[in-house]
Amino acid sequence: MKLIRTEDAVGQVLCHDITQIIPGITKDARFRKGHIVKEDDIPVLLSLGKDHLYVWEKDDTVYHENEAAQILCDVCINEHMNPSPVKEGKIELSSSCDGLFCIDVERLDAVNDIDQIMIASRHTNTPVKKGDKLLGTRVIPLVISKEKMELVKKAAGDGPLCRLFPYQLKKAGIVTTGNEVYYGRIQDKFTPVVIQKLEQYGIKTEEHIIVNDEKEKIKEAILTLKEKGCELIIATGGMSVDPDDQTPGAIRESGAKMISYGAPVLPGAMFCLAYYEDGTAVMGLPGCVMYAKTTIFDLILPRVAAKVPVTRKDITRLGHGGLCLGCETCRYPACSFGKV
């Protein structure tokens, strides 16, 4: 760093905070370390008694932290994301809509593995609301070599690290299975729970069919909902290995391609997911969805609502983090459940 006259400091980078004290009103940094001095700042600095300033001896081989933060922001930002103004070398991205936040973890790791670089994000596949913070970027030093920032661009590769998928799915149908409900022996307490969860993602339950424990009847109900244009078909109950539980077989025989019957998640091990060729999703929900606060349904529904295809690998990877701790006060999704 070097000492220069304040009048000569325009365009220079401050090496230290400069405090402003107004008795009874404020005592805070008026200019922070890293601030790039502007013409309008000169009278203010002089009024604070600063006739001389320590500034960085910047050259063409380095970026100021604010410039570097913008590069990091550029390799992350995508549609439906709003950047904050750069402050002290940091830029944050927030969501401009409700949706599913996804990040390429492998590329993120590659960027963060570069010394003096930092991008801190939410977990991938996290449901977010409009205005939610997604990630923050900055470099550690006040100035950083341009060569290092070129390494960042190379590690980030082609295309932004992040994506935010707005919820698109609007119309769902529910097949309630079980002799006990069909014959009126018990009240259907499963369907209201599913309807409420769907509504959280803007999905309306357009159709509801109740059938007994006959595989053919369940299959017919699924196909009826498909013909009526339901984008998501949910079958409740009949998901265990008991002889009377016919839902997984009915889903298979309806022509949907089975992605997974069973998931390494508790609660929700007996979950079933399938897709038709046109992208219509079919879920078989185990009984735990009816009484447990958070289950496999809460992990998969946001992805389906955003029309992000779920693969078998996506489901098997849920085992790491797939144990719900059953906290007395549920804080999902601000917890470890379902975080890969």
Side-chain angles (χ1 to χ4, degrees), residues 126 165 265 284 309:
T126 295
F165 298 92
V265 176

Side-chain angles (χ1 to χ4, degrees), residues 36-213:
I36 300 174
V37 180
K38 303 187 291 295
E39 187 71 45
D40 293 345
D41 297 334
I42 302 302
V44 180
L45 288 163
L46 292 173
S47 73
L48 296 175
K50 300 299 178 182
D51 291 334
H52 296 82
L53 301 171
Y54 280 107
V55 297
W56 283 97
E57 296 184 80
K58 185 180 178 184
D59 59 46
D60 291 337
T61 67
V62 298
Y63 285 118
H64 176 258
E65 62 178 352
N66 287 354
E67 297 172 307
Q70 185 60 58
I71 292 173
L72 292 178
C73 176
D74 291 342
V75 303
C76 293
I77 195 167
N78 209 328
E79 293 180 305
H80 315 296
M81 299 178 190
N82 295 323
S84 68
V86 62
K87 181 180 180 182
E88 299 173 17
K90 181 172 66 176
I91 298 177
E92 295 178 342
L93 296 181
S94 60
S95 170
S96 65
C97 65
D98 294 359
L100 183 74
F101 174 68
C102 300
I103 188 162
D104 189 319
V105 179
E106 185 175 343
R107 288 195 290 148
L108 173 68
D109 289 346
V111 172
N112 278 329
D113 198 41
I114 299 170
D115 188 39
Q116 300 182 325
I117 300 298
M118 188 225 76
I119 301 173
S121 78
R122 287 177 179 260
H123 279 90
T124 190
N125 293 318
T126 295
V128 296
K129 297 288 188 181
K130 182 179 180 179
D132 281 352
K133 190 182 299 184
L134 303 175
L135 60 79
T137 72
R138 72 173 306 164
V139 295
I140 305 305
L142 184 59
V143 294
I144 192 168
S145 71
K146 291 184 177 180
E147 182 180 1
K148 188 162 289 186
M149 297 311 297
E150 287 303 312
L151 292 177
V152 168
K153 296 176 185 177
K154 183 177 179 180
D158 297 330
L161 296 181
C162 310
R163 296 190 70 179
L164 182 60
F165 298 92
Y167 300 131
Q168 301 180 55
L169 200 147
K170 300 298 182 183
K171 184 178 179 181
I174 298 175
V175 179
T176 298
T177 72
N179 291 337
E180 65 276 25
V181 175
Y182 182 76
Y183 293 111
R185 298 167 187 162
I186 66 170
Q187 182 181 355
D188 176 16
K189 295 184 179 181
F190 207 148
T191 302
V193 172
V194 175
I195 290 174
Q196 183 180 36
K197 287 185 179 287
L198 292 173
E199 288 175 346
Q200 294 174 13
Y201 298 95
I203 303 171
K204 184 178 180 181
T205 303
E206 297 278 0
E207 305 286 344
H208 180 210
I209 301 174
I210 301 175
V211 295
N212 61 11
D213 285 320

